[in-house]
Amino acid sequence: MKQLLGMTLDELAADLAELGQPRFRARQLFDWVYRRLESDFGRMSNLPADLRAALAERYDPLVVHPVHALTADGGRTEKALLELAPPALRLLESPLGERRRRYNTVEAVLMDYPGERPRRTVCVSSQAGCAMACPFCATGQSGFVRDLTAGEVVGQVLHFARRVRALRGPDARLTNLVFMGQGEPFANFENVWRAVELLHAPEAFGLGARHVTLSTVGVVPRILELADKPLQVNLAVSLHAPDDALRDRLVPLNRRYPLDAVLDACREYVARTRRRVSFEYACIRDLNDSADQARALAERVRGILCHVNLIPLNAGLDPRFQAPPPGRVEAMADVLNARGVPTTIRDTRGREIDAACGQLRARLLQSA
Ligand code: SAH
């Protein structure tokens, strides 16, 4: 089955022409899929019945299929495990099939921040697994399966757009999109970018570019490539350490693109875009969470138009990587703020549901 979700309007029109359909059908379908969030071709009432049947045979309307859902924080955080199109049947039938099937999943999370102007952020995956191998990250430790298609990224967003509407009423919309799930978005940039453009396109999902954030371990050439894109999406860079010796261990790609190279690329990005960069820093007990390290970090990022987001580690199974004790993260934030580096502490959501990158999938893999 084809993935309608990754197609542009023109591509869909061309594909529908194979069914002998006029161009306006593509617009009608886009309206159903992206505006009305309909995933059942049978309910697309302004399409002829025989076309509805033909569409249902030709396209997979979901692309990612929910197999598991968990909620936390009083219903304000929801995590979904979504299955990708199944691998070839012979794999499923082999003894490895079931395990293989569980690998073929990605996680996405919805975080609902109520208030006068509610923020509803969906966090999506860009790859099944990840090749970056950061040792504290559950996904990094699970290995790489494959790049997601653009349709699989879009499918995650539409899944939660439908959930938001079901949970919060017919007018409730997703407001923000972050690529902070499984995978390195800059290692699958072509598909990720195609998804971003579709999700932004007014004829499709219509999400404002400034409400989209790509998070990277620091793939230097892609940071520069992003700087030249016309869409003004946000850039977040995972630093996690103020020096190369430590960052080599926490973010193995640092051996290829060391801190100076990453920070230079960020300076260049700011110069070209005039936009602020976010630096993510996962605080890990006794490894990178001291006041001295905060001072060193402030020194490294001095002069860059940036914001630091400290993330208390959501500890997994590896005893080497623990959450910082109470007060440590706040102390780091104080040091950074006092030195003029705007710093916030990330509101941690979903601890009890393995909500950090790759944790749910990892736990299910272990039990398989
Ligand atoms: N590959 C991209 C996006 C992945 S995850 C990147 O590394 O930026 C988004 C952020 O969550 C990254 O900063 C990542 O290092 C961090 N992260 C991963 N596992 C975590 C955990 N268990 N606790 C806290 N942050 C974690």
Side-chain angles (χ1 to χ4, degrees), residues 123 126-127 130 132 134 136-139 179-186 214-218 236-240 250-251 280-283 311-316 346 351 356-359:
C123 171
S126 55
Q127 299 177 314
C130 185
M132 297 298 123
C134 302
F136 61 90
C137 171
T139 306
F179 285 80
M180 296 184 185
Q182 283 173 33
E184 166 52 43
F186 282 177
L214 300 186
S215 174
T216 177
V217 285
V237 178
S238 298
L239 288 186
H240 305 330
L250 296 178
V251 183
E280 293 162 281
Y281 191 104
C283 302
I311 317 169
L313 187 79
N314 189 335
R346 185 170 297 175
R351 294 223 166 249
C357 190
Q359 288 178 341

Side-chain angles (χ1 to χ4, degrees), residues 11-22 58-59:
E11 287 164 348
L12 181 59
D15 204 60
L16 289 170
E18 285 179 21
L19 299 175
Q21 293 298 318
R58 191 175 183 85
Y59 302 117

